[in-house]
Amino acid sequence: MVRQRITRWEPAEVLEFRMEQTDLAFARWVAGIDERFQLAPADGRTRLTRTTTVAMQGAFPALTAVAMSVGLKAVHRHVFGSWRRQCQNLSPMAGQPGSLANFRTA
């Protein structure tokens, strides 16, 4: 379980939220996770940027930060892959330039 609270919402521009509680294994090493999604026009399309900020706690915070980074990137790739598949299933233009199905993750 991960409980999050929306801290900022500007429709079609910004969504920010903070993890308030989790029962996942990493909880004892993480003081907080803040997420930000931002939409911006880019060459006739829309760029979605996701920024995740993690505050570590406990012993060896630099080492646990590396492990968290690897784990979060795997989770984000999974989520964005799921979004891509959903867009491909919903978009009549799936696979065509400019469609929602053509986004990439970094």
Side-chain angles (χ1 to χ4, degrees):
M1 176 276 306
V2 177
R3 180 172 292 137
Q4 299 169 313
R5 177 176 304 276
I6 295 173
T7 56
R8 183 175 174 196
W9 170 240
E10 296 176 27
E13 291 182 28
V14 176
L15 169 62
E16 294 179 356
F17 50 93
R18 170 176 281 257
M19 181 185 76
E20 291 191 331
Q21 183 181 13
T22 185
D23 62 359
L24 297 175
F26 64 75
R28 66 182 175 172
W29 296 292
V30 176
I33 298 177
D34 293 299
E35 299 269 8
R36 176 184 174 94
F37 289 86
Q38 185 162 4
L39 299 171
D43 299 324
R45 299 188 297 177
T46 300
R47 176 180 301 275
L48 168 62
T49 303
R50 179 181 191 162
T51 304
T52 303
T53 304
V54 181
M56 305 304 297
Q57 64 187 9
F60 310 108
L63 184 59
T64 53
V66 170
M68 276 298 294
S69 176
V70 170
L72 281 173
K73 284 185 184 292
V75 169
H76 289 173
R77 277 192 295 275
H78 173 77
V79 168
F80 278 110
S82 176
W83 290 353
R84 183 182 305 112
R85 286 186 298 278
Q86 289 178 28
C87 288
Q88 288 171 337
N89 291 336
L90 295 175
S91 174
M93 296 177 57
Q96 296 183 23
S99 76
L100 291 174
N102 294 322
F103 65 84
R104 293 186 186 89
T105 61

